[in-house]
Amino acid sequence: MPITDLKPLFGDDFKQSPLVIAGPCSAENEAQVMDAANELSAAGIKVFRAGVWKPRTKPGGFEGIGTPALEWLAKVKKQTGMLVATEVATERHVHEALHAGVDAIWIGARTAANPFAVQEIANVLATLPEERRDSLTVLVKNPVNPDLELWIGALERIYGSGIRRLGAIHRGFSSYGKHVYRNPPKWRIPIELHRRLPQLPVICDPSHIGGRRELIGSLAQQALDMNFNGLIIESHCNPDNALSDKEQQITPDVLKFIVHTLVVHKTNSSTESLGLLRQHIDRIDTELIELLAKRMRVSRDIGRYKKEHAMPVVQAGRYNDLMQQRVAEAERLDLSAEFMRNILSVIHEESVRQQLEITSENNQQ
């Protein structure tokens, strides 16, 4: 389903560059919500976010106040003039949030991974009066796992309900083991999303990507450098005492400082030097593709040799030795070790697939 004819998020008259949505991870009590809203409003933030229902990985954690917290969001909207947004995961959530006058809803990473749940939300949105559907902003976070098609599928379901103020939120992807980031960004996935759906606004969530407040500023700048349309950042007046995700929340003062120090790049498609550099990149990419094709032809020859001599396709010892050598060579050329490992891992996987294909062909003969 092509996603076209989209309208500006939050309406034609909304102006904030870059778009920043901010507020606490969870709405904990009325005073906490109002304090955060007042300070963020004073800092120039136009859209206030707060979690009313909080999906937790394990039972026993703080799962949000629920429906009563929607009254606090309505109060924020009335007293500050800010637009308000919250996460929804069920049909009931949608009905109650919209009844409370919420301006924007987002579908979380866990919900986005479940087509049944997304379709349930889409079905509710499709029943709204046209005027309400036309004014509502809906954002879809990437699924917890790096599955671009699942993300696009969730967006298409919401688009199919008649929503045209539609956007995506990149919040990183879950990964096993220890990493610098709570949810590694895997930037190539939102970049590919933008290539596939160029009209779609994409907002970055540096709070969930980083998982630590000291990473938020640099991640926010990286997102703007890659031409993201905005940011959604968790901000709490007393983050160390927050009931959820305290490590990744920043105070409104820190948020104001970060926003004011961000560099927003203006694009100029007529810049001749940029065009020449892009042509250079295109030529290099073509050469890389040709070299990879040559490498895979050699891999197939190796597969034939191994088959003829009854050798196993995968030889772990050689692979580990080559990985260490190639990574060391890459680091000497100022390439990231992690980047090189990822590249070599994908190349090795395809090489093994090619060799197994040769083995399979020979067995069938």
Side-chain angles (χ1 to χ4, degrees), residues 71-365:
E71 298 179 9
W72 309 334
L73 295 187
K75 187 175 179 180
V76 167
K77 185 174 179 178
K78 181 178 180 181
Q79 291 193 4
T80 69
M82 301 171 80
L83 303 179
V84 294
T86 197
E87 178 177 347
V88 297
T90 68
E91 177 180 353
R92 180 177 66 84
H93 291 171
V94 177
H95 282 302
E96 294 186 359
L98 298 188
H99 180 72
V102 166
D103 301 284
I105 57 175
W106 75 83
I107 296 173
R110 292 175 177 85
T111 307
N114 184 343
F116 291 111
V118 176
Q119 190 60 55
E120 177 181 306
I121 293 171
N123 291 342
V124 177
L125 297 175
T127 66
L128 296 176
E130 183 177 352
E131 181 179 354
R132 185 66 174 108
R133 196 168 60 240
D134 186 62
S135 66
L136 181 66
T137 292
V138 180
L139 305 170
V140 181
K141 286 194 173 186
N142 60 262
V144 288
N145 295 318
D147 189 333
L148 177 60
E149 298 306 322
L150 194 58
W151 195 2
I152 292 177
L155 288 159
E156 289 177 339
R157 290 176 190 277
I158 300 303
Y159 179 83
S161 73
I163 296 295
R164 293 299 177 264
R165 302 193 190 279
L166 176 65
I169 298 176
H170 173 230
R171 49 80 77 194
F173 302 90
S174 297
S175 183
Y176 181 76
K178 294 183 178 180
H179 298 272
V180 173
Y181 301 116
R182 177 184 178 185
N183 295 293
K186 301 185 186 296
W187 296 111
R188 66 185 183 276
I189 295 178
I191 289 172
E192 176 63 12
L193 175 70
H194 178 68
R195 188 191 71 80
R196 298 264 296 273
L197 302 173
Q199 280 195 6
L200 183 78
V202 184
I203 296 170
C204 183
D205 180 350
S207 302
H208 278 89
I209 291 175
R212 305 202 314 271
R213 60 187 67 138
E214 63 268 24
L215 298 175
I216 290 174
S218 62
L219 284 165
Q221 185 61 63
Q222 287 180 57
L224 295 188
D225 289 345
M226 287 184 283
N227 207 29
F228 277 65
N229 299 94
L231 305 163
I232 180 167
I233 298 176
E234 293 186 347
S235 180
H236 192 294
C237 291
N238 189 6
D240 287 334
N241 291 322
L243 297 182
S244 58
D245 288 347
K246 62 182 180 181
E247 296 86 0
Q248 67 189 42
Q249 299 195 63
I250 56 177
T251 64
D253 283 343
V254 172
L255 176 67
K256 181 179 179 180
F257 174 79
I258 289 174
V259 171
H260 285 181
T261 55
L262 290 172
V263 177
V264 181
H265 302 282
K266 296 185 182 299
T267 58
N268 184 354
S269 58
S270 64
T271 303
E272 183 177 357
S273 59
L274 179 59
L276 292 173
L277 288 170
R278 285 174 171 167
Q279 291 176 24
H280 188 43
I281 285 286
D282 291 343
R283 288 195 295 270
I284 293 172
D285 285 347
T286 299
E287 293 171 7
L288 283 172
I289 293 169
E290 292 172 354
L291 285 172
L292 287 170
K294 290 178 182 178
R295 191 189 193 283
M296 293 308 157
R297 286 196 290 271
V298 174
S299 291
R300 294 175 74 86
D301 290 338
I302 291 173
R304 294 186 183 93
Y305 181 90
K306 288 178 178 178
K307 174 63 178 177
E308 292 170 2
H309 294 81
M311 297 173 64
V313 169
V314 178
Q315 295 176 315
R318 172 172 165 75
Y319 173 68
N320 291 335
D321 290 342
L322 284 177
M323 177 70 82
Q324 293 178 7
Q325 293 172 15
R326 302 291 190 263
V327 169
E329 292 170 3
E331 287 183 304
R332 282 194 290 271
L333 295 173
D334 295 326
L335 291 173
S336 158
E338 181 180 2
F339 167 75
M340 202 64 230
R341 289 191 190 95
N342 288 337
I343 292 293
L344 290 173
S345 177
V346 172
I347 291 175
H348 179 258
E349 182 179 349
E350 176 62 13
S351 181
V352 169
R353 189 191 70 80
Q354 295 270 358
Q355 293 183 38
L356 288 172
E357 192 172 84
I358 291 295
T359 302
S360 175
E361 288 175 359
N362 290 341
N363 287 338
Q364 290 174 3
Q365 292 173 358

